[in-house]
Amino acid sequence: MTIASKDSIPNLLLRNIPRGLVMGIEEALAAGAQRAYAAAKGMNDGHLPHVVGQMRHFHMNESFQRALSMGDASPTAIRGNGIVTGRTGVFTLARFNIPEGFWINGRRSHTRRQMSVANKAIEPLVQPELFEGYVPLSEAVAFFVACFSGSLRSQPESPVSIQVAVPNRDMRGWLFREPLDAFVQRYEQKPAAQDDLAMPKLRKNIGKQGKDGISQ
């Protein structure tokens, strides 16, 4: 059995992104959203939605960068409207906000679309007929997406949900996405492949890894 037939995108995320980092990002994005809404209070109703959106971008970028730094995920510097990214294992991490249900909005950014091209390498994991074309990857991209209600009359101070999402190569679809409160539960479950690697008779395979840290 090849590694492709045993692997999955959730397992790749679990192996490469520490649980503490995921929880830190979730807390940071929620706190950033609250600060953004507080900063926008008192502005004229005529442009309040726009102001809240802008404040969310800036405050959540700052919170996200701090969480990446605390999690040793090598964050990029904050520069204007630029996308903040981090790196852990084979995954480059970034974030964006959307009104709940409008996932297509994620591809409005040319930079995010360029980043997503790297996920061509993991598309075979959700398309079994392409397993023969799968090779252990050295780079992939995942986004933390804060979904808001889309109205300042309904929960304007915090996201309705925060999800981890892995796009396909052109960011027109999603290979995997899941709310963080559900995703963190996966760390409590040991995948079968991980259990096999822990068996004494297979210990000789533990040291045989590719450059990306995935066991061969």
Side-chain angles (χ1 to χ4, degrees), residues 96-99 102-109 112 171 174:
F96 62 90
N97 301 333
I98 60 168
F102 287 85
W103 284 82
I104 193 65
N105 285 9
R107 72 182 312 272
R108 287 182 176 179
S109 164
R112 286 196 293 263
M171 212 175 182
W174 300 90

Side-chain angles (χ1 to χ4, degrees), residues 16-124:
N16 286 275
I17 308 177
R19 181 176 184 271
L21 177 57
V22 172
M23 296 183 69
I25 289 173
E26 181 178 30
E27 181 178 350
L29 293 182
Q34 290 174 351
R35 286 196 296 270
Y37 184 66
K41 282 185 176 179
M43 300 299 290
N44 188 282
D45 288 346
H47 62 195
L48 184 58
H50 179 76
V51 173
V52 171
Q54 287 291 309
M55 289 296 101
R56 283 172 180 167
H57 172 77
F58 295 127
H59 282 281
M60 294 175 75
N61 255 10
E62 290 187 2
S63 295
F64 183 58
Q65 192 208 41
R66 284 195 292 270
L68 292 172
S69 181
M70 292 291 291
D72 296 322
S74 304
T76 57
I78 293 177
R79 291 192 178 90
N81 290 324
I83 293 175
V84 173
T85 66
R87 177 84 177 199
T88 178
V90 301
F91 279 95
T92 294
L93 308 178
R95 58 154 294 275
F96 62 90
N97 301 333
I98 60 168
E100 187 178 28
F102 287 85
W103 284 82
I104 193 65
N105 285 9
R107 72 182 312 272
R108 287 182 176 179
S109 164
H110 178 67
T111 300
R112 286 196 293 263
R113 295 199 305 272
Q114 284 186 318
M115 292 171 61
S116 298
V117 172
N119 285 351
K120 175 181 179 181
I122 56 176
E123 287 181 355

